[in-house]
Amino acid sequence: MKLHLKKLEEQVSGWQQVSVHPHRFGGTEFQFGDAEIGHVHTNGMVDIPFPRSIRDGLLADGLAEEHHWVPNSGWITFQMRREEDLSHAVWLMRLSYLRYALKTSTDPQKLFEEESKELRLSPHFKLLLKAFVPRTPKQVSAEPVPA
């Protein structure tokens, strides 16, 4: 199990703007800026916050379970039991990550299309995530940031 947890941490921590922290209830937490994209407990339980619409879609398609402590929320739980579960745990984390990455992207539409292909999103999930694609891209300042 520890090897799977380490592999998950290695993959998620390699994504742009992701930082890794100890989770307050044990395990490892992944953050995009100040926002938590999810955490994993030492027993392999992966907990991820989603907007309710995405959470409901994941539950309906059998891709996750209700959260073990707060089942009537946007949170989901996925239990990594074996190596084959690692890719699905990474997929769920990437889905969470994508919502935040779209907000900071200079070309959110392009990022959305690339990630949709990479994640092999169904038309249903593409529609759900489309709501998180900003209408106007984040502007990049040409002026240097003061030190």
Side-chain angles (χ1 to χ4, degrees):
M1 177 62 64
K2 289 187 181 203
L3 180 59
H4 310 324
L5 298 176
K6 188 70 178 155
K7 285 181 179 180
L8 178 67
E9 183 176 334
E10 286 172 1
Q11 287 191 40
V12 177
S13 67
W15 300 340
Q16 285 187 344
Q17 295 181 276
V18 170
S19 58
V20 180
H21 308 273
H23 185 63
R24 67 184 179 271
F25 298 122
T28 304
E29 182 173 314
F30 305 97
Q31 292 184 343
F32 188 105
D34 291 335
E36 180 179 348
I37 61 172
H39 61 266
V40 60
H41 296 280
T42 55
N43 66 356
M45 191 173 292
V46 179
D47 296 324
I48 304 174
F50 284 105
R52 196 60 181 258
S53 60
I54 295 174
R55 175 256 193 202
D56 291 347
L58 292 168
L59 296 180
D61 289 357
L63 298 170
E65 298 174 5
E66 289 183 333
H67 189 269
H68 53 106
W69 283 108
V70 285
N72 196 22
S73 70
W75 284 83
I76 60 95
T77 291
F78 176 72
Q79 181 68 52
M80 280 198 315
R81 294 182 176 91
R82 53 192 176 278
E83 188 170 352
E84 297 80 41
D85 295 333
L86 176 62
S87 63
H88 188 65
V90 170
W91 184 85
L92 289 167
M93 284 283 185
R94 190 69 180 191
L95 204 60
S96 178
Y97 168 84
L98 179 57
R99 294 180 304 119
Y100 299 104
L102 288 168
K103 291 178 187 178
T104 60
S105 175
T106 56
D107 192 346
Q109 185 60 46
K110 180 180 177 187
L111 177 63
F112 177 71
E113 291 303 324
E114 289 172 351
E115 289 288 325
S116 293
K117 270 187 201 169
E118 184 71 26
L119 293 170
R120 297 184 182 131
L121 295 181
S122 68
H124 179 238
F125 277 101
K126 279 185 79 169
L127 185 61
L128 290 173
L129 282 164
K130 188 78 171 166
F132 299 95
V133 178
R135 295 187 192 280
T136 56
K138 184 170 177 70
Q139 299 298 314
V140 177
S141 174
E143 296 181 27
V145 178

